């Protein structure tokens, strides 16, 4: 390591809130951000900027914490939601920590299989699975396929008949609960593309059809109510409705629901003031409500499954960028906002542009005692909405060549990245005890040109 400074001589870092940054994040004696023993300046020297850095120990600890907390609370299995971010290394980490994997496409399934995840530890999602994806899932022996529409019942049943197997399926139910952070909205119908509505009778009808098909085995219900959820109230309402529906299935159709998969959505802290419920407390609360609701409904408690994604990989990851330009702009109010342009942007983190997401950012390559100034950290794309961090206080001596780190970018950043403006996607590097490994290498110009067959004929 070029700049290696002993972590033992680290200085306390007031700007690295432990609730937001990876657990190992600190400032070494040079004042540089160090994660899992890796100095961000060394990281950039070796892998270029921008780069995503994942703290392997942090991700594994969170995976283990989730599994233990939910199992202790009564769940049978915790699946890692691959959409948050997947590569074979991640699949290996989470399976070694005892989790299964939730995949939402043939591509995610291919990565999980390549990593050696056994089919029976995989649950397959998607509201419009292609026949090729269904066949791939059946060939892989996935434990559960989650049925999301009437069309799909026939498709999966036919494919299973052709494959000569009986496939266990869950039905994704739409219970009319939509949750986000502290709020949830409960309605009779939810106006969205996922699942089959309980209120309209579609979910009951789907199950009526499934149980008649010899190539399908109805294993249970799936409900996912939202994302970045900070408390259990939305889950409580969903559990109440799922339990009531389960009872009606028993009473009306004589059907037994063996499993409730209550999805993911557990929130994380991105900025000061974000206060998600602690993992074990959330697990206990959700599972005890499910138990109570099942008792009240007079039904046996089904096996419980969950699918967290963001909460496992999000806080373990940071993005490192290099500052290219610094441009103060005087606003109409007279306030100066300084635009700090970095060498990435909406192609490696679309969440700010897409969801107005908030992030925490720090000067990573050094400490500064300069007065803080109001900045907007922006990318290098040809679009004014290309914002990484909308409002950030950064030292006023910030200059080209400085490195910035953005926290909690492990989830839904690389997985939602693009090549807009033909930018190569950054590498994803994991760090553990001062040693780095390539999770995904940086794209090259050759990668970018590889899909283009080139001009037919070059003019003489
Ligand atoms: N299970 C199902 C069926 C899901 O649809 C999702 C997320 C999860 C599990 C995992 O949710 P998590 O624990 O990661 O919140 N791109 C958005 C998030 C979309 C989540 C979609 N489904 C974002 O960047 O905030």
């Amino acid at each position: 390591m070029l700049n290696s400074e002993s972590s033992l001589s680290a200085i306390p870092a007031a700007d690295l809130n432990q609730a937001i940054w990876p657990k190992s994040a600190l400032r070494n004696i040079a004042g540089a951000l160090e994660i899992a023993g890796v100095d961000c300046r060394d990281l950039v020297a070796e892998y270029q900027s921008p780069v995503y850095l994942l703290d392997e120990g942090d991700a594994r600890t969170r995976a283990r914490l989730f599994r233990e907390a939910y199992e202790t609370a009564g769940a049978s299995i915790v699946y890692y939601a691959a959409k948050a971010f997947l590569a074979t290394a991640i699949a290996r980490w989470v399976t070694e920590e005892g989790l299964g994997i939730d995949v939402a496409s043939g591509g995610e399934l291919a990565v999980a299989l390549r990593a050696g995840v056994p089919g029976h530890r995989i649950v397959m999602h998607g509201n419009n699975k292609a026949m090729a994806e269904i066949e791939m899932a059946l060939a892989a022996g996935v434990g559960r396929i989650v049925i999301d529409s009437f069309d799909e019942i026939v498709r999966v049943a036919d494919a299973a008949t052709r494959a000569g197997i009986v496939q266990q399926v869950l039905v994704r139910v739409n219970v009319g609960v939509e949750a986000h952070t502290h709020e949830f909205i409960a309605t009779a119908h939810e106006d969205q593309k996922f699942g089959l509505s309980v209120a309209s009778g579609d979910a009951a009808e789907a199950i009526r059809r499934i149980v008649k098909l010899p190539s399908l085995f109805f294993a249970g219900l799936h409900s996912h109510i939202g994302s970045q959820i900070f408390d259990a109230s939305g889950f409580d309402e969903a559990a109440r409705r799922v339990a009531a529906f389960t009872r009606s299935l028993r009473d009306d159709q004589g059907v037994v629901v063996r499993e409730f998969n209550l999805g993911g959505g557990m929130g994380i802290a991105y900025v000061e003031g974000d206060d998600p419920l602690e993992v074990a407390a959330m697990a206990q609360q959700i599972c005890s409500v499910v138990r109570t609701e099942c008792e009240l409904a007079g039904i046996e408690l089904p096996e419980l499954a969950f699918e967290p994604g963001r909460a496992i990989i999000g806080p373990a990851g940071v993005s490192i960028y290099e500052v290219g330009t610094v441009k103060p702009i005087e606003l109409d109010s007279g306030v100066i906002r300084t635009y700090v342009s970095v060498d990435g942007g909406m192609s490696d983190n679309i969440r700010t542009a897409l969801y107005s997401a908030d992030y925490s950012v720090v000067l990573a390559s050094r400490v500064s005692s300069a007065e803080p100034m109001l900045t907007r950290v922006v990318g290098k794309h040809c679009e004014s909405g290309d914002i990484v961090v909308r409002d950030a206080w950064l030292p006023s001596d910030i200059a080209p060549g400085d490195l910035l780190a953005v926290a909690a970018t492990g989830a839904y950043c690389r997985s939602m990245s693009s090549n807009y403006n033909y930018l190569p996607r950054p590498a994803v590097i994991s760090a553990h005890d001062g040693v780095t490994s390539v999770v995904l290498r940086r794209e090259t110009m050759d990668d970018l040109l590889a899909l283009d067959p080139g001009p037919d004929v070059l003019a003489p």
Side-chain angles (χ1 to χ4, degrees), residues 79-84 102 104 125-126 146 172 180 194 222-229 261-267 270 306-312 350-351 354-355 357 359 411-413 415-416:
Y79 297 95
Y80 167 68
K83 66 204 80 178
D102 137 17
H125 282 278
V146 183
R172 176 141 177 190
H180 178 74
F194 294 110
H222 187 286
S223 153
H224 173 82
I225 54 169
S227 212
Q228 186 57 357
I229 302 169
N261 181 327
L262 296 178
M266 299 76 180
Y270 284 99
F306 293 89
E307 298 169 343
R310 183 197 318 266
I312 289 172
I350 188 68
R351 296 192 69 260
L354 196 56
Y355 313 119
Y359 282 95
Y412 301 113
C413 287
S415 66
M416 295 175 76

Side-chain angles (χ1 to χ4, degrees), residues 51-129:
V51 58
Y52 301 102
L53 177 62
L54 282 175
D55 178 341
E56 177 181 347
D58 188 281
R60 281 182 180 270
T61 304
R62 287 175 201 277
R64 197 160 53 243
L65 182 66
F66 262 88
R67 183 180 57 72
E68 287 171 359
Y70 280 83
E71 282 179 3
T72 304
S76 309
I77 184 164
V78 175
Y79 297 95
Y80 167 68
K83 66 204 80 178
F85 175 61
L86 190 66
T88 55
I90 313 307
R92 191 167 49 78
W93 298 349
V94 297
T95 44
E96 282 174 4
E97 298 304 335
L99 283 73
I101 297 204
D102 137 17
V103 298
S105 71
E108 290 179 0
L109 176 59
V111 178
L113 294 176
R114 188 173 179 209
V117 180
H120 70 271
R121 305 282 295 170
I122 298 176
V123 55
M124 175 84 172
H125 282 278
N127 68 297
N128 183 16
K129 304 171 193 75

Side-chain angles (χ1 to χ4, degrees), residues 414-435:
R414 179 57 172 79
S415 66
M416 295 175 76
S417 65
S418 74
N419 288 121
Y420 185 35
N421 294 136
Y422 273 101
L423 256 64
R425 270 180 267 239
V428 183
I429 305 297
S430 68
H432 188 61
D433 284 346
V435 177

Side-chain angles (χ1 to χ4, degrees), residues 222-306:
H222 187 286
S223 153
H224 173 82
I225 54 169
S227 212
Q228 186 57 357
I229 302 169
F230 281 4
D231 63 40
S233 52
F235 288 104
D236 293 359
E237 185 56 35
R240 214 158 282 142
R241 294 178 181 205
V242 171
F245 180 51
T246 297
R247 184 194 168 125
S248 75
L249 286 174
R250 185 197 64 189
D251 296 348
D252 302 345
Q253 299 188 34
V255 166
V256 178
V257 174
R258 291 163 200 263
E259 181 178 323
F260 285 171
N261 181 327
L262 296 178
M266 299 76 180
I268 63 169
Y270 284 99
V271 292
E272 302 285 336
D274 283 351
D275 59 343
L277 197 60
E278 194 248 322
V279 176
M282 182 82 118
Q284 288 294 343
Q285 204 168 325
I286 301 174
C287 292
S288 79
V289 170
V290 176
R291 254 191 308 277
T292 310
E293 290 305 320
C294 288
E295 271 165 34
L296 289 174
I299 53 167
E300 220 175 290
L301 180 69
E303 301 219 323
L304 301 180
F306 293 89

